[in-house]
Amino acid sequence: MVENRPWLTFFSHTVLILGVIAVAFPLYVTFVASTLTLEQIMQVPMRLLPGDQLIENYSQVLTGGSTKGSKAAVSHMLVNSLVMALVIPLGKMSISVISAFAFVYFRFRLRMFFFWMIFITLMLPVEVRIIPTFKVIADLGMLNTYAGLTVPLIASATATFLFRQFFMSIPDELAEAARVDGASPMRFFWDVVLPLSKTIMAALFVIQFIYGWNQYLWPLLVTTDESMYTTVIGIKRMMVGSDSANEWNLIMATAILAMLPPALVVMFMQKWFVKGLVETEK
Amino acid sequence: MEKRVVFRSAWLPYFLVAPQIAITVVFFFWPAVQAVWFSFQLQDAFGLKSQFVGMQNFAHLFNDRNYLTSFKTTALFSGLVAFFGIAISLLLATMADRVLRGAMAYKTLLIWPYAVAPAIAGVLWAFLFAPSIGIVTYVLKGWGVDWNWIINGDQAMLLVVIASVWKEISYNFLFFLAGLQSIPKSLIEAAAIDGAGPARRFWTIVFPLLSPTTFFLLVVNIVYAFFDTFGVIDATTQGGPGQATNILVYKVYHDGVKAADLGGSSAQSVILMFIVIALTVVQFRFIERKVEY
Amino acid sequence: MAAVSFRDVRKSYTPELQVIHGVSMDIKDGEFIVILGPSGCGKSTLLRMVAGLETITSGEIAIGDRVVNNLEPKDRDIAMVFQNYALYPHMTVYDNMAYGLRIRGLSKDDISVRVKKAADILELDKYLERRPRELSGGQRQRVAMGRAIVREPQVFLFDEPLSNLDAKLRVQMRAELQALHRRLGTTSLFVTHDQVEAMTLAQRMIVINAGRAEQIGAPLEIYANPATVFVASFIGSPPMNLVPRDGRLLGIRPEHLEPCAASDAMLTIDVDLIEPLGADILVYGHVGDRDSARVAARLPADALAQAGKLALRYDPANVHWFDPKSGLRST
Ligand SMILES: Nc1ncnc2c1ncn2[C@@H]1O[C@H](COP(=O)(O)OP(=O)(O)O)[C@@H](O)[C@H]1O
Ligand SMILES: [Mg+2]
């Protein structure tokens, strides 16, 4: 910085530390609550040091859910969440990367028409077409199936545009060199375009993993069967009403389990994560 | 911008766009068209018969006090979320950009909530603020505040705003930090040589240069408050108490799924669609302008 | 190896925009041809039509005895070197060179033999495992050449391959290209806007202006007998002086002017600028008023040049006459 003003630096650190506390405090309390007995939580004020119920609470939710609310095993929900968090990004990237390739490297009738179709989906989030989309899923017999949970969410204008943008930046000469070398379009796609897209795919994967894992409204609509609950839905189903009736220790243990995978992804793939965020919004 | 090189094939491009287009048609266009269609229909209680009623569903909506209230609630809610979300993260990003030591560590610690699902954010804050056992409630009681969001509408609104802002701060923070770091240091130094103090430099140089980022985040945050906060609301107040936190999206869901009012819910969907279109247009107008710079 | 022929080749990108207006030429088997012209005149377009990267609007291009108009690039048996090299950034030098051979289904051993041989010629043996971004500009250039060589094509196509190199490397690569051509003897079409490059490399060259072939011939022949005003003013540094005289244009090269006594003057100029170059000096001036013809003269270093009038004379045998309307040579 330009000048040295100790009090300003001190102030900055203070603000930042307060910010970190505000961000971390709810997470910390959640963790503490997940290690206490329900009685300990009900004692106002709740103690703020971890208790000794960690193993009990977690093994209870992993195998048997809550006792008052949903009794579905959270371990199974984690699997469902993982399916969503993997199938959605992989599906999204697959269909987006090939359609973007077609848009950039081919000229065909209806090209602009298809392009605008995909563009318009930006304006049709699930939230604005809740009931009819639910009906479509029901008519197709996709309620309570993995296909129903994932397929409708893999169409994505953002990912298509992102790939398109990236392909536009690949020098024309590379495609020409490949043509002279005798590569067919798909060969060029596999041997040149895909390897060059690796970084962007990693970034997109991180963002979409979190997106898939954290889905809420969609699974709420298309799953009624306990065996299809995702973890986030599971938490909601464990809440049985007003504040003191809930088994907060179990709910909080489940919340920690639900937060852990995306948090780890953010932590360990921070570079891709930041890139993904900034790139997808350009 | 178009590519100079193109491959030729009569069928391959169609084959390549087919999956995307199929999903788009089946799960986006078909339901959207149906939403429009249903919005002109009235169904009987059993969903067996329906009749065309023209604009009647819309007329009902605009005569419905609850719906108009929901509009106001949504405006208030998204205004609060966008304002605090942006103000707090701008403050944090400015500070993080200032400090030399530990900037990376702060960044790592502050981006966590992005990984948390909105519904879970709602649950966490509902727990902290739980009327009888919440730890924050306990502190507030100590300060003489009578806290019970389950019966107090304003407090319920405050709760969902806090949970939504908490979740969104990390996103805004990352964008502001990137924006700040792209401002040439020489500009700040020039202003310092001209004698401008830190606060003045911020308001006269940094903030104006950040305005594209700020505007972008404003739109994104409003969209977030409109739609993505569904989880926060559903996991905490469920629109209550009364109508205090019944934002438009929640009302569509509630009327359609819980109350099974197909026509009314579809009409609401159509109105929401227009709002999204307006927001998207604003966003793209803005992006176009940004490109011109 | 093969001959290449153009028969009244035309190209329009859009119906209104014709960029090549009928080029005809026969390139002999093994010949090194340079396509020379200012930027935007259609050199790349012409080359890319040979490569099959652009469609031919009308006319015919033949490689050997096959008309290639409707053949895909891969079926034309050509190899191309691009201005920006177009190396695959994620592949090693070895893989860059091997890629085209793999697609053509050569055996691993064949590929290895060919790549090693090319690497040997181009002194790239030590870099085979590197990626393009770990190479210097000159090395990348060689890899691009290597990729062309390994294919052992009928025709090499070069689109300004040296223009991204610094001046010193360019001279060196020019020499290497010549050596390579002597060694392989492959028919080559080389596009450049740099007349020095053209003069040094070409066996014959074709000078293009605005999509038309102005002249085709050996470099010295073109230098000595430019067919049009354009060629006269494009080739040579400084280019030929063109002075209006008796309704025609008199062309005389700067080096064919010599100082003389005022009474012998065939051309008198007002000197504007003197550039001593060591071995000789360049004198720039104008005839008549300032806006009229500019004249440059290359004089011996000991010539007494100073501001003011300078009397010059020339040997009439070195004069070229052009018709100012058609731009063509008139005697
Ligand atoms: N794909 C294209 N579409 C339209 N016009 C083009 C295209 N490629 C080149 N041109 C035009 O054709 C002319 C010749 O271009 P080019 O062959 O690249 O020139 P050169 O290589 O001699 O610099 C230029 O005026 C250029 O603008
Ligand atoms: Mg060119």
Side-chain angles (χ1 to χ4, degrees), chain B residues 215-260:
Chain B
F215 184 82
F216 162 77
L217 287 175
L218 186 66
V219 177
V220 170
N221 279 266
I222 289 175
V223 172
Y224 163 78
F226 259 74
F227 299 107
D228 298 337
T229 51
F230 176 89
V232 176
I233 307 262
D234 193 49
T236 55
T237 63
Q238 308 204 341
Q243 299 285 320
T245 55
N246 203 6
I247 62 170
L248 290 169
V249 167
Y250 200 75
K251 194 165 157 50
V252 174
Y253 167 78
H254 186 268
D255 292 1
V257 178
K258 296 263 161 79

Side-chain angles (χ1 to χ4, degrees), chain B residues 138-209:
Chain B
Y138 171 78
V139 175
L140 289 175
K141 284 229 172 79
W143 292 346
V145 181
D146 183 19
W147 179 269
N148 189 345
W149 57 265
I150 292 178
I151 52 172
N152 182 323
D154 291 341
Q155 293 180 355
M157 175 60 89
L158 194 58
L159 171 70
V160 289
V161 168
I162 290 175
S164 306
V165 168
W166 178 79
K167 151 103 187 99
E168 193 64 357
I169 280 179
S170 36
Y171 182 89
N172 297 346
F173 172 80
L174 279 174
F175 274 86
F176 275 131
L177 192 60
L180 285 166
Q181 285 170 346
S182 71
I183 295 176
K185 286 282 169 281
S186 57
L187 254 129
I188 315 277
E189 283 158 9
I193 290 168
D194 286 342
R200 193 179 180 121
R201 284 201 302 267
F202 178 81
W203 289 113
T204 56
I205 313 232
V206 176
F207 190 70
L209 285 175

Side-chain angles (χ1 to χ4, degrees), chain A residues 173-174 176 178 181-182 191 195, chain C residues 48 87-88 90 99 103-104:
Chain A
E173 285 80 2
L174 228 49
E176 294 179 334
D181 271 341
D191 291 347
Chain C
R48 293 159 55 79
L87 301 178
Y88 307 118
H90 58 295
Y99 186 63
I103 289 179
R104 282 175 164 71

Side-chain angles (χ1 to χ4, degrees), chain A residues 162 203 207 271-282, chain B residues 107 114 171 173-179 216 290:
Chain A
L162 186 62
I207 298 299
K271 194 176 116 214
W272 303 125
F273 164 70
V274 175
K275 184 177 160 61
L277 265 192
V278 180
E279 295 279 324
T280 46
E281 295 298 353
K282 265 205 294 231
Chain B
K107 186 170 157 186
Y114 183 85
Y171 182 89
F173 172 80
L174 279 174
F175 274 86
F176 275 131
L177 192 60
F216 162 77
K290 194 169 72 175

Side-chain angles (χ1 to χ4, degrees), chain A residues 106 124 178 211:
Chain A
F106 290 89
L124 300 171
Y211 169 85

Side-chain angles (χ1 to χ4, degrees), chain C:
Chain C
M1 273 156 280
V4 177
S5 69
F6 295 78
R7 288 281 154 270
D8 195 27
V9 170
R10 290 163 195 272
K11 171 73 187 180
S12 312
Y13 281 108
T14 58
E16 315 88 66
L17 180 74
Q18 186 165 358
V19 295
I20 301 288
H21 303 265
V23 168
S24 297
M25 173 172 53
D26 282 300
I27 298 168
K28 291 194 281 288
D29 189 1
E31 204 170 12
F32 198 110
I33 292 279
V34 172
I35 301 173
L36 174 67
S39 143
C41 71
K43 309 175 297 286
S44 297
T45 304
L46 202 58
L47 194 76
R48 293 159 55 79
M49 285 193 284
V50 180
L53 295 171
E54 299 288 354
T55 53
I56 299 162
T57 309
S58 76
E60 247 177 42
I61 295 180
I63 298 176
D65 41 19
R66 282 192 308 171
V67 172
V68 295
N69 285 34
N70 295 316
L71 291 185
E72 277 290 303
K74 66 174 163 48
D75 301 322
R76 296 190 180 199
D77 209 359
I78 47 106
M80 183 152 170
V81 178
F82 296 86
Q83 177 169 357
N84 64 2
Y85 316 141
L87 301 178
Y88 307 118
H90 58 295
M91 294 186 196
T92 61
V93 168
Y94 184 95
D95 289 334
N96 261 286
M97 292 203 255
Y99 186 63
L101 302 178
R102 288 202 185 113
I103 289 179
R104 282 175 164 71
L106 266 68
S107 76
K108 262 208 162 76
D109 296 340
D110 283 352
I111 293 176
S112 162
V113 170
R114 286 209 204 179
V115 173
K116 293 268 158 57
K117 189 172 142 212
D120 200 38
I121 298 176
L122 295 165
E123 294 168 19
L124 283 170
D125 349 23
K126 289 201 290 292
Y127 308 106
L128 286 175
E129 291 313 314
R130 294 213 194 162
R131 275 166 221 276
R133 94 178 89 80
E134 301 157 341
L135 299 176
S136 70
Q139 290 165 339
R140 286 180 209 179
Q141 222 291 319
R142 279 167 220 254
V143 179
M145 306 254 257
R147 189 163 68 178
I149 294 174
V150 293
R151 293 259 317 281
E152 299 176 7
Q154 302 260 9
V155 181
F156 283 138
L157 305 174
F158 300 94
D159 193 353
E160 312 215 16
L162 306 184
S163 57
N164 283 0
L165 299 177
D166 63 43
K168 204 171 147 213
L169 258 177
R170 212 176 313 167
V171 174
Q172 183 191 338
M173 285 310 294
R174 237 155 42 201
E176 290 192 21
L177 260 171
Q178 277 174 310
L180 199 65
H181 183 250
R182 266 198 304 278
R183 178 168 177 166
L184 303 174
T186 310
T187 315
S188 303
L189 273 71
F190 185 103
V191 162
T192 180
H193 65 266
D194 176 346
Q195 51 160 319
V196 180
E197 220 165 271
M199 299 295 282
T200 49
L201 282 170
Q203 289 175 333
R204 279 196 304 152
M205 63 194 205
I206 167 168
V207 184
I208 310 250
N209 177 33
R212 289 190 170 78
E214 298 265 336
Q215 190 169 10
I216 302 173
L220 292 179
E221 180 189 315
I222 288 181
Y223 186 83
N225 287 304
T228 65
V229 171
F230 173 81
V231 177
S233 59
F234 188 69
I235 291 179
S237 173
M240 183 180 286
N241 301 304
L242 292 163
V243 183
R245 184 147 303 176
D246 309 332
R248 294 197 295 170
L249 279 179
L250 176 152
I252 179 83
R253 294 246 174 237
E255 62 270 32
H256 293 146
L257 291 169
E258 51 184 18
C260 63
S263 55
D264 297 339
M266 302 165 87
L267 196 61
T268 307
I269 62 171
D270 285 315
V271 176
D272 297 323
L273 176 68
I274 300 171
E275 281 182 353
L277 297 179
D280 38 26
I281 57 176
L282 281 176
V283 179
Y284 297 91
H286 58 276
V287 190
D289 60 72
R290 281 205 159 262
D291 298 329
S292 64
R294 310 220 145 234
V295 170
R298 188 183 293 271
L299 307 179
D302 56 359
L304 283 178
Q306 61 200 33
K309 301 261 180 220
L310 176 63
L312 296 166
R313 64 188 189 90
Y314 48 82
D315 178 353
N318 288 326
V319 165
H320 310 262
W321 290 103
F322 298 95
D323 174 17
K325 276 201 211 72
S326 65
L328 297 179
R329 212 180 169 80
S330 60
T331 42

Side-chain angles (χ1 to χ4, degrees), chain A residues 3 8 13 30 95 105 109 121 128-129 131 160 167-168 170 172 176 214 216 236 243 252 273 281, chain B residues 1 3-4 7 14 20 24 27-28 98 106 114-115 124 127 131-132 171 201 234 238 262 269:
Chain A
E3 74 270 82
L8 200 55
H13 281 287
T30 305
I95 67 168
Y105 283 100
R109 274 175 52 201
T121 61
V128 310
R129 48 190 168 84
I131 310 294
T160 311
F167 295 166
M168 297 298 286
I170 298 179
D172 281 348
E176 294 179 334
N214 286 347
Y216 184 71
K236 165 78 178 109
D243 59 344
M252 289 310 173
F273 164 70
E281 295 298 353
Chain B
M1 255 296 287
K3 279 262 175 210
R4 181 173 73 213
F7 294 106
Y14 296 98
Q20 173 99 312
T24 304
F27 298 108
F28 285 76
R98 264 196 62 84
Y106 286 125
Y114 183 85
L124 301 194
F127 177 60
S132 57
Y171 182 89
R201 284 201 302 267
D234 193 49
Q238 308 204 341
L262 188 62
S269 290

